[in-house]
Amino acid sequence: MIKGKFIDNLPKVYGIYTGGFIGFIILMAIGEQMGMTAKAIGVAFVAFTIFIYALIGYLSRTAQADAYYVAGRQVPTVFNGMATAADWMSGASFVAMAGGIYFKGYGYMALLVGWTGGYILVATLLAPYLRKFGCYTVPDFVGTRYGGNLARLCAVIVLTVASFTYVTAQINATGTIASVALDIDFKYAVYIGLISILLCSMLGGMRAVTWTQVAQYIVLIIAYLLPIFWISNKMGAGFFPHFMLADEVARIGELEQQFGFVKNSAADLATVPKGLAGITKAHSAVNATPWAFISLALAMMMGTASLPHVMMRYFTTPSVKAARKSVGWSLFFIFLLY
């Protein structure tokens, strides 16, 4: 039995949760061996995670303004880092970026560089000052800092447009993933995703979202890394592919020389193995010049630093110092995936 304040028991609570989730994975593996269908396993995974997230959202319900909007400003740095990483490891990472790099090659590495650099901007230029101001929202900060309702209105408009664009893409990704997992039509999968999000966040606001996102990070990182470890080990690249990247970069350099990637002519492409042809083609078509790569990376840096759901995470820390440290933890937890 867990006694004391929830905040003080976070490691124990999420340790038990992680053990339970791993146990659920083992149970599903046993079910598959016993003849459980892929659709049934997908439904079980979705139902289990939605139930857990909804339960966390219900237990985190609150009527206090500071708890609803900024989680009471008491989220520890490590867990705020996990929540921010879960924010970031969304459909953009699992679907768009992963697919873009796989099919289009190096050019899309500018996204990784830009997104990582964006957190550097957050740590140095935004997070400490947003937390020091002590407000609830970014428009509050802008309105007070620059004076008058016009500045506040402009901030609201910019954030609304940015959020609408981002949320539209995320809902699309949610529907895509849910339709595959549940083997249902996309339009119904979108509604299931939206209802799930509502259940997780409506009653508890930022407090519910924070603790749900910590749980989501655990699910996401396990779901992503376990297959990667298994595949990497099978390919002879070591159990931890993170430590093998230097060797892989050297190997890519050898392949470039072997297959003439520098020329990128039609004749060269015809002789490149199928698995490498996409990388070769993309290298000539996407960000072909250094300036194109750099400009995309800079755009992603500034875009990342100004994302509403990223900035809001740093209102929830106990202090300005904690806001800076939580950015560092965010980068660490994102690094484990990227």
Side-chain angles (χ1 to χ4, degrees), residues 15 38 100 108 157 193 198 269:
Y108 283 76
I157 293 173
L198 183 65
L269 291 177

Side-chain angles (χ1 to χ4, degrees), residues 57 75 93 167-168 183 201 209 234 272 325:
V75 181
S93 297
V167 168
T168 300
D183 193 22
S201 60
V209 168
K234 285 288 185 181
V272 175
K325 290 178 66 176

Side-chain angles (χ1 to χ4, degrees), residues 302-335:
M302 291 181 282
T304 298
S306 59
L307 282 173
H309 65 287
V310 172
M311 289 191 288
M312 282 301 299
R313 289 251 52 93
Y314 304 106
F315 289 117
T316 65
T317 57
S319 65
V320 174
K321 183 180 179 180
R324 280 201 179 95
K325 290 178 66 176
S326 66
V327 178
W329 281 110
S330 301
L331 279 172
F332 170 75
F333 289 121
I334 293 169
F335 152 80

Side-chain angles (χ1 to χ4, degrees), residues 34 61-62 75 92 126 136 147 196 203 218 225 227 240 249 267 275 310 325:
M34 296 177 64
R61 66 192 184 279
T62 180
V75 181
L126 293 174
Y136 286 155
S196 303
L203 296 177
I218 294 170
L225 290 187
F240 292 98
V249 170
V310 172
K325 290 178 66 176

Side-chain angles (χ1 to χ4, degrees), residues 44-130:
F45 262 105
V46 173
F48 175 78
T49 52
I50 290 178
F51 172 76
I52 293 297
Y53 299 157
L55 179 63
I56 293 173
Y58 175 76
L59 294 176
S60 301
R61 66 192 184 279
T62 180
Q64 299 176 347
D66 65 334
Y68 195 88
Y69 287 106
V70 291
R73 303 191 197 278
Q74 55 180 350
V75 181
T77 55
V78 174
F79 292 94
N80 197 52
M82 294 176 73
T84 307
D87 250 344
W88 198 241
M89 287 163 46
S90 56
S93 297
F94 275 78
V95 180
M97 187 196 69
I101 292 177
Y102 181 79
F103 287 109
K104 297 296 184 179
Y106 303 139
Y108 283 76
M109 294 294 285
L111 302 180
L112 292 177
V113 175
W115 286 343
T116 304
Y119 279 93
I120 304 302
L121 294 181
V122 170
T124 55
L125 302 179
L126 293 174
Y129 303 101
L130 290 173

Side-chain angles (χ1 to χ4, degrees), residues 245-255:
L245 291 180
D247 294 337
E248 293 303 311
V249 170
R251 176 62 178 154
I252 289 172
E254 294 174 3
L255 292 173

Side-chain angles (χ1 to χ4, degrees), residues 147-172:
N149 291 327
L150 179 60
R152 189 187 303 269
L153 177 62
C154 290
V156 170
I157 293 173
V158 170
L159 289 176
T160 301
V161 172
S163 298
F164 182 81
T165 304
Y166 195 86
V167 168
T168 300
Q170 294 301 328
I171 290 174
N172 186 290

